[in-house]
Amino acid sequence: AHSTESDNELLTQQYRDLYGYDKHPELITAAVAATITSSPRPLPITGIIGQSQLNATISIPKINVSAPIIQVNNSSDTAILTALKKGVVLYPGSVNPGQPGMAVIIGHSSSDLPWTTYSAVFSLLGKLQPNDLIYVTFSGTKYTYRVRTIQKGSAQQLIDSGLAGDLIVSTCWPIGTDTNRIAVSASLVR
């Protein structure tokens, strides 16, 4: 299979083999920039077994994010990390976008090699501000969400903060670590 993604992974691996990231931090910057400026095509996500496949995407124009939303059947690290190579993940157990309750979508802010189009898809979440818009298309319906709050802290601190909203978009923070999290909560507008 010869694709842009496999070519990029190969190129990144060649750079790493030649130079190593420690000697050339600009390679990380270039990889992040390439990730953010790409315009991926939506991929189908699998619904509950026996249902038809759905197309679901998230778009955050302010930070140039456009990514497929992948559904996984369980919350094991393996299942989630595998899915994160293909887009962002609708966290197992959260509601589908547009339904009453909280939809939780997670994505990488940075990830280990090999790089994919989505290795740093949510690296700019911290630049969002209240009233910025997030668009989610799910099962053929486009939903518009308005950012309410942006919170940073440990996973436990975010849970204890009473994080609320119709949509939570989250990633690791600071970039390059998985020490803490950043969570953007948003309300459904329409």
Side-chain angles (χ1 to χ4, degrees):
H2 195 63
S3 68
T4 304
E5 190 172 302
S6 63
D7 290 350
N8 286 344
E9 285 182 23
L10 182 63
L11 184 62
T12 302
Q13 189 58 50
Q14 289 169 343
Y15 275 140
R16 189 176 197 201
D17 292 344
L18 282 171
Y19 306 113
Y21 270 30
D22 293 341
K23 298 181 198 121
H24 293 273
E26 71 278 6
L27 295 176
I28 295 173
T29 306
V32 169
T35 300
I36 292 165
T37 57
S38 67
S39 55
R41 71 184 198 298
L43 297 173
I45 69 170
T46 308
I48 297 164
I49 293 170
Q51 290 186 347
S52 60
Q53 287 202 327
L54 309 169
N55 277 327
T57 58
I58 186 169
S59 170
I60 312 174
K62 181 175 182 178
I63 56 172
N64 203 19
V65 165
S66 178
I69 301 170
I70 312 296
Q71 263 181 339
V72 294
N73 295 326
N74 67 66
S75 58
S76 73
D77 285 353
T78 306
I80 290 174
L81 290 171
T82 300
L84 285 172
K85 291 178 182 173
K86 300 174 188 152
V88 298
V89 169
L90 179 63
Y91 202 81
S94 70
V95 303
N96 289 336
Q99 291 183 339
M102 186 185 296
V104 178
I105 296 174
I106 60 171
H108 279 308
S109 61
S110 65
S111 67
D112 295 331
L113 290 173
W115 278 87
T116 72
T117 304
Y118 308 106
S119 290
V121 66
F122 282 167
S123 62
L124 298 180
L125 278 188
K127 294 196 179 298
L128 292 178
Q129 296 175 324
N131 297 317
D132 286 340
L133 298 178
I134 299 172
Y135 302 97
V136 175
T137 302
F138 193 86
S139 286
T141 303
K142 185 173 184 176
Y143 300 100
T144 301
Y145 294 87
R146 187 176 305 280
V147 172
R148 292 172 32 173
T149 62
I150 298 92
Q151 294 176 255
K152 297 173 187 169
S154 69
Q156 192 59 51
Q157 285 171 326
L158 293 177
I159 291 166
D160 293 344
S161 74
L163 201 57
D166 300 312
L167 175 69
I168 304 294
V169 181
S170 184
T171 193
C172 293
W173 192 263
I175 293 173
T177 74
D178 61 3
T179 312
N180 290 309
R181 302 287 181 272
I182 182 168
V184 174
S185 71
S187 298
L188 184 62
V189 178
R190 62 179 177 275

